[in-house]
């Protein structure tokens, strides 16, 4: 728990920089582009992030899950094969995603409100989003407990976006300009990650890691684990982006802009749950390798208690500070986003409260169960959105997100009870 807390401290430090600077660069974007322009920008970036989530594998989890043993045994050859296989997996998913992005824009670009002038910029941004997938260097740094270096690399994104937003605002504030700034931030962040890995000597291991095609035989279950964690994370993360696309399709770019600004603030909660999971995952894997069954119930209860208390504290902060922050970032044009922010904040707190169960189940290689739970949650989300959107518009979509998160929380609680009572 102390190691996980130390890791979380580094992650929160980088996200603290992001939280502060995001208020500024989002404020610049919203006030420069207006409600409709910012809504179009939000739809483009949201679609690109959704596509990246769909095709990208959580290879950092694969590295941590299957790298703990070789690292403890100081088997550098096995680590090199694992690192190289993970990098190849990331590259393949990026190429597939780029082809899908081109196809989607050609077939449905006009329907998404992306005209000919924006199509090229959108495609370039989507390709950059895919080619800068940095799951492999992230996994290497976390496996080696170098969370401080990963935090430094993560901090490049908000700083670059902040500087880029100021330059675009001063030179030519357009949707294309902000897309260039956001894309440049992704490139700089990915370059920093690989620089950190190169300085530690692990990049050379990737280059010389021969025999990665034998990984399925060397690590039985690795393919199933990679597929199931990808599917689970896809459902979990895309369920945060898909509602924005639903709002855009149902109510247009202006409503999408209002929804996005509320979602951007509320998604800090989802980020916190991801940070807790990422900070705890390496330590949970190490703890459960040879631990007796009694450790499992104790570990899960501590994770649940800590994340539950954090969720309650953050909900209080949202109630006290949410509206002033919303007015500061968006201005009067976004005053209707307050109910959306509240519903999305509740959803984020529910996700945060159950993140410990997700982490333990993944470490126990029960990612298939996590996928089933998240699939059920997404199904509930879509059903609730279909019922509520005609009545409440964008707020109805936010309410549907909360209903879906509540369904996941209930199913995670049931899974936690079963895990704690059943011997492994």
């Amino acid at each position: 728990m102390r190691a996980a807390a130390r890791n979380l401290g580094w992650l929160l430090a980088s996200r603290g920089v992001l939280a502060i600077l995001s208020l500024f660069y989002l404020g610049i974007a919203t006030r420069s582009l207006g409600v409709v322009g910012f809504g179009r920008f939000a739809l483009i970036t949201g679609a690109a992030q959704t596509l990246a989530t769909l095709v990208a594998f959580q290879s950092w989890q694969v590295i941590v899950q299957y790298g703990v043993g070789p690292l403890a045994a100081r088997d550098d050859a096995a680590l090199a094969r694992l690192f190289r296989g993970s990098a190849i997996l990331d590259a393949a998913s990026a190429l597939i995603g780029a082809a899908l992005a081109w196809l989607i824009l050609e077939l449905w670009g006009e329907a998404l409100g992306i005209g000919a002038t924006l199509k090229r910029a959108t495609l370039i941004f989507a390709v950059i989003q895919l080619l800068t997938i940095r799951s492999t260097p992230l996994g290497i740094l976390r496996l080696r407990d170098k969370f401080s270096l990963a935090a430094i690399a993560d901090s490049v994104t908000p700083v670059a976006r902040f500087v880029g937003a100021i330059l675009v605002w001063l030179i030519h504030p357009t949707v294309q300009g902000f897309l260039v700034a956001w894309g440049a931030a992704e490139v700089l962040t990915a370059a920093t990650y690989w620089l950190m890995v190169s300085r530690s000597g692990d990049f050379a291991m990737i280059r010389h890691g021969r025999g990665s095609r034998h990984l399925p035989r060397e690590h039985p279950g690795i393919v199933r684990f990679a597929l199931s964690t990808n599917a689970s994370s896809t459902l979990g993360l895309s369920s945060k982006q898909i509602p924005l696309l639903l709002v855009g399709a149902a109510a247009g770019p202006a409503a999408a802009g209002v929804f996005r600004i509320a979602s951007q603030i509320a998604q800090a909660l989802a980020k916190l749950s991801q940070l807790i999971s990422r900070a705890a995952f390496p330590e949970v894997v190490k703890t459960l390798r040879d631990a007796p069954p009694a450790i499992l119930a104790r570990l899960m209860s501590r994770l649940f208690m800590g994340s539950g208390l954090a969720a309650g504290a953050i909900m209080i902060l949202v109630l006290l500070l949410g509206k002033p922050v919303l007015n500061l970032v968006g201005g009067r044009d976004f005053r209707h986003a307050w109910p959306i922010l509240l519903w999305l904040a509740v959803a984020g707190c529910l996700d945060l409260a159950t993140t410990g169960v997700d982490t333990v189940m993944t470490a126990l290689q029960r990612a298939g169960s996590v996928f089933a739970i998240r699939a059920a949650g997404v199904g509930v989300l879509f059903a609730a959105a279909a019922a509520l959107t005609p009545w409440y518009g964008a707020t109805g979509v936010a309410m549907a997100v909360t209903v879906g998160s509540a369904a996941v929380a209930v199913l995670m609680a049931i899974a936690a009870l079963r895990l704690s009572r059943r011997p492994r």
Side-chain angles (χ1 to χ4, degrees):
M1 294 297 292
R2 284 193 297 271
R6 183 185 64 250
N7 297 342
L8 181 61
W10 282 111
L11 291 172
L12 287 176
S14 66
R15 291 299 171 178
V17 175
L18 171 61
I20 294 172
L21 291 181
S22 66
L23 296 179
F24 291 97
Y25 65 66
L26 282 176
I28 293 171
T30 54
R31 294 169 190 271
S32 300
L33 299 176
V35 176
V36 176
F38 181 74
R40 189 173 287 112
F41 172 72
L43 286 173
I44 292 171
T45 55
Q49 290 168 0
T50 302
L51 182 62
T53 302
L54 287 173
V55 300
F57 284 83
Q58 296 298 301
S59 49
W60 75 269
Q61 288 186 327
V62 176
I63 289 176
V64 172
Q65 182 76 32
Y66 293 95
V68 168
L71 182 66
R74 297 186 178 182
D75 189 346
D76 288 343
L79 279 178
R81 289 191 293 272
L82 182 63
F83 294 168
R84 186 180 179 88
S86 176
I88 292 173
L89 187 63
D90 285 349
S93 63
L95 292 176
I96 293 171
L100 285 175
W102 175 82
L103 184 63
I104 290 170
L105 285 174
E106 286 297 319
L107 295 178
W108 299 293
E110 296 294 336
L112 292 172
I114 302 173
T117 56
L118 274 178
K119 186 178 292 185
R120 179 180 297 178
T122 302
L123 180 60
I124 293 173
F125 178 78
V127 170
I128 289 174
Q129 187 84 34
L130 291 159
L131 293 179
T132 54
I133 292 172
R134 41 195 176 266
S135 194
T136 293
L138 180 66
I140 293 172
L141 294 177
R142 286 177 178 168
L143 176 66
R144 297 196 182 278
D145 286 330
K146 295 182 178 180
F147 276 73
S148 58
L149 298 182
I152 293 171
D154 273 335
S155 299
V156 172
T157 301
V159 173
R161 284 184 180 179
F162 176 64
V163 174
I166 292 177
L167 292 175
V168 172
W169 174 54
L170 292 174
I171 299 171
H172 190 45
T174 61
V175 172
Q176 293 95 322
F178 282 104
L179 287 176
V180 170
W182 262 235
E186 295 296 325
V187 171
L188 289 173
T189 303
T192 305
Y193 261 109
W194 284 109
L195 177 63
M196 297 297 185
V197 170
S198 177
R199 292 182 62 182
S200 66
D202 290 308
F203 188 75
M205 292 179 65
I206 295 175
R207 290 171 54 198
H208 300 102
R210 308 301 179 188
S212 57
R213 65 183 181 276
H214 301 304
L215 283 174
R217 186 169 64 249
E218 186 177 357
H219 301 287
I222 190 172
V223 175
R224 184 178 69 250
F225 182 84
L227 291 173
S228 55
T229 52
N230 168 259
S232 178
S233 64
T234 294
L235 287 173
L237 295 177
S238 63
S239 64
K240 301 297 182 290
Q241 299 292 343
I242 288 175
L244 172 67
L245 304 181
L246 292 176
V247 172
V258 173
F259 188 90
R260 178 62 172 178
I261 199 68
S263 175
Q264 194 74 22
I265 297 172
Q267 275 187 13
L269 303 177
K271 290 292 184 183
L272 181 58
S273 64
Q274 293 169 35
L275 295 185
I276 292 177
S277 177
R278 291 171 179 177
F281 186 72
E283 305 308 323
V284 170
V285 171
K286 296 172 186 175
T287 301
L288 295 180
R289 279 186 72 213
D290 304 307
I295 293 293
L296 176 61
R298 190 190 314 168
L299 179 64
M300 191 174 295
S301 64
R302 288 184 177 181
L303 287 171
F304 181 79
M305 183 180 299
S307 57
L309 289 173
I314 289 174
M315 193 65 221
I316 293 173
L317 286 176
V318 170
L319 290 172
L320 293 175
L321 302 176
K323 186 174 287 188
V325 170
L326 188 62
N327 292 333
L328 175 66
V329 174
R332 293 182 178 180
D333 292 337
F334 293 86
R335 60 185 180 275
H336 302 301
W338 173 238
I340 299 173
L341 174 59
L342 278 179
W343 282 107
L344 294 178
V346 173
C349 286
L350 289 170
D351 293 340
L352 177 56
T354 58
T355 189
V357 182
D358 186 327
T359 303
V360 172
M361 290 178 68
T362 303
L364 290 173
Q365 298 197 20
R366 300 196 182 188
S369 299
V370 177
F371 169 74
I373 290 173
R374 297 214 175 275
V378 171
V380 171
L381 186 156
F382 277 106
L388 295 171
T389 303
W391 294 92
Y392 301 102
T395 304
V397 176
M399 295 165 67
V401 174
T402 302
V403 173
S405 294
V408 170
V410 171
L411 293 174
M412 284 287 188
I414 295 172
L417 289 174
R418 289 181 175 178
L419 274 178
S420 60
R421 292 174 180 174
R422 184 184 304 167
R424 288 188 287 145

